[in-house]
Amino acid sequence: MSGIHRHLLVRRDGPVERVTLNRPEVRNAFNDEVIAELSEWAERTAGDPAVRVVVLAGAGKAFCAGADVTWMARMRTYTEEENLRDAAAMASMFGSLDALPVPLVGRIQGAALGGGTGLAAVCDVVVASDDAEFGFTEVRLGILPAVISPFAVAKIGVSAARELMLTGQRFGAARAREIGLVHRIAAAGELDDAVQACVREILAGAPSGIAAAKRLIPEVAGARPGEAARLTSRAIAAQRVSPEGQEGLAAFLEKRRPGWAPDPS
Ligand code: COA
């Protein structure tokens, strides 16, 4: 166990960090305290070179029921300015998770609603159980999916966002995979194995190559073609001459495992 947290379970297993939202009695809904803890955790993890992959999970029967409605109801009595400060803290938390320099794997069972769907959107790989349920339910509660929208729209595109954010309908893992929110679906009893398989795949890749790819993807997505060519050439040239670039190519030619890859057995 690393760090002291009230609402998170954090466990380090070699290069794998597992962070679990731990308020199962409210289906892991997040309030200002959870936001502060997750933000602090993300900042610390981003600066820890020993971590190569993070698994984000939720304790109990649901992944995350989104923003804590009790907390939001309390916010009704606050001024707009205080609400703005609060929303900015939530935006910063989503931004920090989105920008983690290592892959973030979402392990999703049961409900992932509102901000829970938003958390899925900031994961690089989402592994969901076949009973998972997603939805931008905010409009049903009289609010809107605002803070999570940049991350969700980047993931599922404008068309699906318009349908799902405006209807507030709930949708299952199959639909979530169709729109690019979920990548892999497993039977509920096989979810951990499916997550572990994904973790193993990530550990087989060069940490610096993965980090560079993660940085490059949003840059390329927002770049004009000429600009993209410059960015991509620079990225591959730097990686080829880097220690891991050299090691990876040498290991392949010498038919051996590269230094960063764990024994597959
Ligand atoms: N905020 C605060 N508390 C929440 C919550 C939320 N977002 N979601 C669930 N809870 C609480 C419930 O009020 C209930 O508390 P209680 O035991 O004191 O009555 C407890 O969690 C269990 O919820 P319950 O609905 O009985 O459990 P369930 O397993 O049948 O259903 C959900 C779980 C998540 C599907 C359901 O609670 C739900 O739809 N929640 C709303 C999710 C949502 O729309 N979030 C978007 C917020 S913007």
Side-chain angles (χ1 to χ4, degrees):
M1 184 89 67
S2 56
I4 308 287
H5 302 97
R6 204 166 142 223
H7 304 302
L8 302 178
L9 294 172
V10 179
R11 204 180 87 213
R12 178 72 66 81
D13 182 9
V16 186
E17 175 101 337
R18 296 176 203 275
V19 59
T20 302
L21 304 170
N22 192 29
R23 298 178 81 211
E25 67 287 357
V26 289
R27 307 297 179 258
N28 303 315
F30 54 78
N31 59 12
D32 48 348
E33 292 179 6
V34 178
I35 288 171
E37 282 192 9
L38 256 182
S39 298
E40 182 273 332
W41 167 86
E43 194 182 324
R44 193 159 29 83
T45 303
D48 185 341
V51 176
R52 290 178 55 189
V53 54
V54 174
V55 177
L56 175 64
K61 61 190 277 197
F63 171 68
C64 174
D68 186 318
V69 176
T70 319
W71 164 60
M72 281 195 291
R74 204 167 67 229
M75 294 304 295
R76 275 185 315 196
T77 61
Y78 287 32
T79 63
E80 193 171 334
E81 199 171 304
E82 285 167 325
N83 269 282
L84 196 57
R85 208 172 39 234
D86 226 62
M90 185 171 18
S92 164
M93 174 195 82
F94 277 101
S96 302
L97 291 173
D98 188 64
L100 269 184
V102 296
L104 180 60
V105 179
R107 177 203 184 278
I108 297 191
Q109 85 288 12
L113 297 170
T117 293
L119 286 177
V122 296
C123 291
D124 298 294
V125 188
V126 174
V127 187
S129 71
D130 51 14
D131 69 353
E133 184 184 45
F134 300 85
F136 300 96
T137 51
E138 287 88 344
V139 290
R140 304 270 176 115
L141 293 163
I143 51 174
L144 79 160
V147 161
I148 62 171
S149 63
F151 310 103
V153 173
K155 250 327 170 25
I156 68 177
V158 168
S159 174
R162 286 171 76 150
E163 184 212 357
L164 297 169
M165 290 183 180
L166 305 192
T167 62
Q169 67 175 270
R170 296 177 185 217
F171 53 96
R175 177 81 204 281
R177 185 169 58 185
E178 211 177 273
I179 59 174
L181 185 64
V182 159
H183 303 99
R184 304 173 186 196
I185 301 176
E190 288 159 19
L191 185 57
D192 284 319
D193 287 348
V195 168
Q196 204 42 38
C198 178
V199 165
R200 272 197 304 274
E201 286 166 18
I202 290 167
L203 293 179
S208 63
I210 291 173
K214 185 162 175 173
R215 277 196 308 273
L216 187 64
I217 292 164
E219 289 176 2
V220 163
R224 291 187 309 277
E227 200 187 344
R230 201 168 37 79
L231 285 169
T232 55
S233 320
R234 213 185 286 153
I236 187 61
Q239 194 63 22
R240 277 190 201 138
V241 299
S242 73
E244 285 184 347
Q246 308 261 317
E247 164 66 2
L249 299 174
F252 181 82
L253 294 172
E254 291 159 21
K255 301 189 191 307
R256 61 174 172 82
R257 217 167 359 101
W260 63 75
D263 187 336
S265 61

